[in-house]
Amino acid sequence: MPQRKVHPFGFQGRGGSPNRPGAIEVNRPYLCYVARVTETAPQRTPFYDEHVRLGAKMIPFAGWLMPVQYTSIVEEHQAVRNNVGIFDISHMGQLVVEGAGAREWLNATLTNNIDKLAVGMGQYTFLLNERGGTIDDLIVYQIGDQKFLLVVNAARTEDDFAWLQKHLCAPIQIENRSADFGGVAIQGPRLMELFHALFGKDIQPPPRNAIAELPFDRTNVFVARTGYTGEDGIEVFFRATDAVKFWNATLEKGKPFGIKPCGLGARDTLRLEMCYPLNGSDLSPERNPIEAGLGTFVDLTKPDFIGRDALLKTKEIGSREKLVPFRMKEKGPPPRPHYAVFQNGQRIGEVTSGTLSPSLNYGVGMAYIDAAHAKIGAEIDIEIRGQKFPAVIEKKPLYKKSAS
Amino acid sequence: MNVPDDLLYTETHEWIKREGENVRVGITDHAQSELTDVVYVELPKMDRQANAKEAVAVIESVKAASDIYAPVKGTVVEINKALEADPGLINREPYGQGWIFVLKIDNADDLKQLKDAEAYRKQIG
């Protein structure tokens, strides 16, 4: 199988660098995991025509043509914080693992403890390499007695699938169902009103992190109470052929609640305010979940899983670096990936995610820095085009609902 | 998209307004609508000398940072300090209060290299 070449790409466009941005170019590859697939054109999700009709700016992302924004990142961000927004997440991968022993096998493959799940429940977890580095972060849902749905990052789908297949033992089967599914995330404080308008007054959404199959217009859809925004929300998966129908119904029924279609731009600012990691930026095969501050999703008391030995060692000797959230102290240029981090003139790390927070109206970001300096409240400097700007290490999340 | 007839343009989406020996420079309506949400402008230093196509300023939107180039060879003689407090002027008034800097040009003939409104309209489709 040909290796898909992926490249962690910062903000910079073609020819740019952290110190020299490059010319105005809007449809530049966005964020990370720009799949440099030269032989194949980016794929289109079932919503492609709807995005174009709505005037979205389409960009290549993880091998897909995705909307980065429709009107403005800030407007879309605010819609999700104050009302409700809908995102196309059809690019994400769906892998189905099934068969006698699937539970035990997944428990020895993923980091979180799958024994905590019952049918209809889901959990955030990691797929690690032997060195404890992150191949992918994903959500695993139990959808049957010995049947599990794995929702994985778009750019990782094929590699995850190949990796899992390589480690598979009979009679467990794994299927890549990504092409069969379309998906949307519906997120925001007005979710419940919209949910009832869509599914009926008497239907309840599943509880947090759970998944349910619900009837919608003569078909069934999977509804999970999950998201990537910090707001109440659901992620809905349906047959690709039902996708446009569901999209348009949601936009129509969402009108009274101020719904907005939202692109990858707002998805990134929303998740960063919550300090949710982005694989390829904040997570990588060279970084483990403990360094990333996500140890709660790793159960080291399990007898074995891939990467466990390496993580135990990390735990024992301590991480050399830690991922910390930070906020700029003054108005100024927003931090961006790959900017250097300093303390008292000494270089201590590098920014992995950064943006202007539309909720806080300050630059915010996350950076890997020397663990010795990773203290909440510590003052640091972010170097932007040769000049240092003061910032402070913060607690997670960077944005709290009550603070607004 | 608004492309005023009385301005000159660059391929990199700057507009240029001739003011005697000087030119005033900003980014076009098309450019601002593509960038959206301008959140920070790094202005050039006063008296800076720049060659044509040399990056002299940076505009940052939520999404990305973009270079702004000197359209012709010259010296920066005025900068729009108002953008420091209100970078959104670039979105609201790209051809007015959202101007970025004024360049004293070395050679007026250099302006012949720039695009007229017709050519720029063609470029952005």
Side-chain angles (χ1 to χ4, degrees):
Chain A
M1 181 178 152
Q3 188 75 17
R4 181 199 284 189
K5 278 190 194 151
V6 289
H7 181 67
F9 219 100
F11 71 91
Q12 67 266 38
R14 283 179 278 264
S17 77
N19 291 320
R20 217 54 266 178
I24 293 171
E25 184 198 332
V26 166
N27 298 333
R28 69 179 64 186
Y30 191 59
L31 296 170
C32 68
Y33 279 134
V34 175
R36 294 214 165 146
V37 186
T38 41
E39 324 83 74
T40 47
Q43 301 180 70
R44 294 175 174 193
T45 78
F47 304 116
Y48 177 83
D49 289 342
E50 304 307 311
H51 298 322
V52 171
R53 210 190 316 275
L54 289 162
K57 296 182 200 312
M58 304 299 290
I59 54 145
F61 176 80
W64 295 80
L65 269 178
M66 297 299 291
V68 64
Q69 66 184 65
Y70 299 82
T71 54
S72 117
I73 292 172
V74 174
E75 277 175 34
E76 292 162 29
H77 179 107
Q78 301 299 7
V80 173
R81 286 276 177 256
N82 302 320
N83 296 307
V84 66
I86 181 170
F87 304 79
D88 179 358
I89 56 166
S90 306
H91 59 311
M92 299 194 77
Q94 286 87 19
L95 308 178
V96 174
V97 176
E98 196 175 4
R103 170 187 292 274
E104 291 72 21
W105 178 72
L106 279 173
N107 224 9
T109 308
L110 305 172
T111 60
N112 211 334
N113 193 340
I114 215 162
D115 284 334
K116 288 180 184 163
L117 296 186
V119 175
M121 289 166 68
Q123 71 184 185
Y124 180 69
T125 188
F126 293 98
L127 181 62
L128 304 182
N129 58 31
E130 281 86 357
R131 290 168 288 129
T134 302
I135 295 174
D136 206 358
D137 62 332
L138 60 137
I139 296 184
V140 56
Y141 299 101
Q142 185 171 359
I143 54 172
D145 192 30
Q146 286 289 4
K147 193 171 181 181
F148 296 86
L149 169 68
L150 278 53
V151 179
V152 304
N153 280 297
R156 301 296 324 162
T157 308
E158 283 167 33
D159 290 350
D160 288 2
F161 182 61
W163 169 273
L164 290 168
Q165 256 187 334
K166 201 177 86 183
H167 291 82
L168 205 63
C169 42
I172 306 159
Q173 291 177 352
I174 180 164
E175 242 190 308
N176 183 355
R177 299 287 306 278
S178 308
D180 305 336
F181 284 104
V184 296
I186 305 173
Q187 307 274 306
R190 303 197 74 177
L191 166 78
M192 284 304 285
E193 294 164 89
L194 176 54
F195 177 86
H196 288 301
L198 273 170
F199 291 95
K201 282 195 169 43
D202 303 327
I203 307 278
Q204 292 304 320
R208 188 148 177 73
N209 288 328
I211 193 167
E213 205 173 343
L214 298 179
F216 175 82
D217 193 30
R218 293 190 299 274
T219 175
N220 274 2
V221 299
F222 276 112
V223 178
R225 193 75 167 274
T226 46
Y228 197 43
T229 64
E231 299 297 330
D232 191 7
I234 53 174
E235 292 177 307
V236 188
F237 301 102
F238 28 72
R239 280 199 300 269
T241 45
D242 293 327
V244 170
K245 190 172 67 179
F246 191 86
W247 174 269
N248 286 326
T250 309
L251 281 180
E252 185 59 35
K253 298 240 162 96
K255 263 186 202 161
F257 313 120
I259 197 169
K260 265 187 178 292
C262 303
L264 291 176
R267 192 166 162 80
D268 191 54
T269 53
L270 288 158
R271 70 94 194 168
L272 188 47
E273 287 184 347
M274 299 311 296
C275 304
Y276 296 154
L278 175 66
N279 194 11
S281 293
D282 312 306
L283 305 173
S284 81
E286 280 69 50
R287 301 282 187 187
N288 69 54
I290 294 173
E291 291 173 285
L294 299 164
T296 37
F297 305 102
V298 178
D299 187 350
L300 288 168
T301 67
K302 292 199 294 183
D304 196 26
F305 59 85
I306 300 169
R308 180 174 177 268
D309 291 348
L311 292 190
L312 280 174
K313 206 164 216 174
T314 302
K315 200 105 193 182
E316 195 187 303
I317 59 173
S319 313
R320 201 171 50 82
E321 293 195 312
K322 276 190 177 149
L323 185 66
V324 295
F326 66 88
R327 181 178 80 91
M328 305 305 291
K329 290 184 78 175
E330 293 156 13
K331 307 265 174 195
R336 309 275 184 196
H338 308 303
Y339 286 175
V341 181
F342 289 82
Q343 193 172 51
N344 301 322
Q346 183 197 348
R347 190 181 162 131
I348 58 165
E350 189 175 292
V351 175
T352 52
S353 285
T355 188
L356 180 106
S357 156
S359 302
L360 307 169
N361 214 14
Y362 273 94
V364 297
M366 294 201 284
Y368 276 103
I369 64 168
D370 283 353
H373 302 273
K375 298 199 171 61
I376 292 164
E379 313 233 329
I380 53 175
D381 293 301
I382 310 297
E383 188 180 63
I384 304 176
R385 294 182 288 276
Q387 208 186 324
K388 292 189 178 68
F389 292 85
V392 62
I393 296 175
E394 293 273 8
K395 247 198 292 212
K396 283 188 210 180
L398 287 157
Y399 165 80
K400 289 171 207 72
K401 201 77 185 160
S402 54
S404 62
Chain B
M1 212 52 74
N2 187 7
V3 181
D5 284 325
D6 57 339
L7 301 178
L8 293 169
Y9 299 89
T10 64
E11 210 159 278
T12 47
H13 308 284
E14 290 89 5
W15 58 258
I16 296 95
K17 185 181 180 194
R18 180 94 191 251
E19 296 179 351
E21 290 186 340
N22 296 344
V23 290
R24 192 171 296 266
V25 181
I27 66 164
T28 65
D29 189 26
H30 172 74
Q32 74 72 25
S33 88
E34 292 285 290
L35 290 175
T36 63
D37 306 323
V38 173
V39 296
Y40 182 79
V41 182
E42 187 180 296
L43 294 165
K45 297 258 183 306
M46 282 292 285
D47 304 320
R48 171 174 176 168
Q49 298 185 334
N51 287 314
K53 297 182 181 171
E54 192 177 330
V56 292
V58 177
I59 291 184
E60 301 223 28
S61 67
V62 173
K63 187 172 55 175
S66 305
D67 273 329
I68 304 305
Y69 301 94
V72 290
K73 194 172 182 209
T75 306
V76 175
V77 293
E78 217 181 313
I79 53 178
N80 188 0
K81 285 269 187 195
L83 295 176
E84 288 178 349
D86 187 4
L89 281 171
I90 287 183
N91 294 121
R92 299 197 303 276
E93 294 183 50
Y95 299 113
Q97 296 304 307
W99 65 275
I100 300 167
F101 59 91
V102 174
L103 209 56
K104 185 178 189 301
I105 50 179
D106 278 18
N107 184 352
D109 282 349
D110 291 348
L111 296 174
K112 288 177 188 154
Q113 309 295 319
L114 301 172
K115 294 181 177 221
D116 61 12
E118 191 54 43
Y120 181 68
R121 268 185 216 116
K122 211 171 264 171
Q123 179 193 326
I124 62 175

